[in-house]
Amino acid sequence: MLNKYPYNYGHLMIAPKRHKCDLLELTQEETQEMMRLLGETKTLLTKELKPEGFNIGINIGKAAGAGEEHLHFHIVPRWVGDTNFMPVASETKVISHHLSELLRKLKGSFGGT
């Protein structure tokens, strides 16, 4: 899913269909599906956006930003020099592309969905 408040252009999230708050609550099939989707998403973003690297992480628990009954992976494409003074000076991040542009670029790449 697209991140409504992306850290960087192409920032996507992968979440299980069932709302669970810990990896240990997922079935083996759910865990495998999330890892498969993470790999497919990285491949797609590499093809479409050509990033120079990725930050990939998982939020578990409310204190980590995951909410009370929800865990999710973040996959954030990165480019050398993609940081600037804005997060330090004004606690904001400038994203130079709109979410609708990203959606249009990626739409249909996940098996036509």
Side-chain angles (χ1 to χ4, degrees):
M1 69 183 94
L2 296 177
N3 190 328
K4 186 174 181 179
Y5 303 104
Y7 178 74
N8 220 0
Y9 183 59
H11 181 173
L12 302 179
M13 296 185 299
I14 298 168
K17 291 177 184 172
R18 294 187 312 136
H19 290 281
K20 294 297 173 184
C21 55
D22 196 288
L23 286 171
L24 298 175
E25 296 177 354
L26 298 177
T27 66
Q28 183 176 4
E29 292 78 19
E30 289 170 323
T31 302
Q32 289 173 344
E33 180 180 24
M34 287 184 68
M35 294 306 294
R36 179 185 58 76
L37 287 171
L38 186 61
E40 288 178 9
T41 301
K42 181 183 172 292
T43 298
L44 173 65
L45 290 171
T46 298
K47 176 185 171 194
E48 295 294 333
L49 305 182
K50 298 172 182 44
E52 298 169 307
F54 287 91
N55 288 124
I56 297 174
I58 187 166
N59 290 22
I60 301 173
K62 187 174 184 177
E68 293 184 31
E69 296 183 20
H70 184 73
L71 67 91
H72 55 272
F73 279 95
H74 289 265
I75 180 163
V76 183
R78 300 301 304 267
W79 293 266
V80 173
D82 66 6
T83 58
N84 56 47
F85 68 91
M86 291 299 288
V88 175
S90 64
E91 298 182 11
T92 190
K93 179 81 174 173
V94 176
I95 307 293
S96 60
H97 302 276
H98 196 274
L99 283 177
S100 61
E101 177 186 336
L102 178 63
L103 180 60
R104 187 173 50 254
K105 185 175 275 201
L106 301 179
K107 193 171 183 172
S109 296
F110 287 103
T113 58

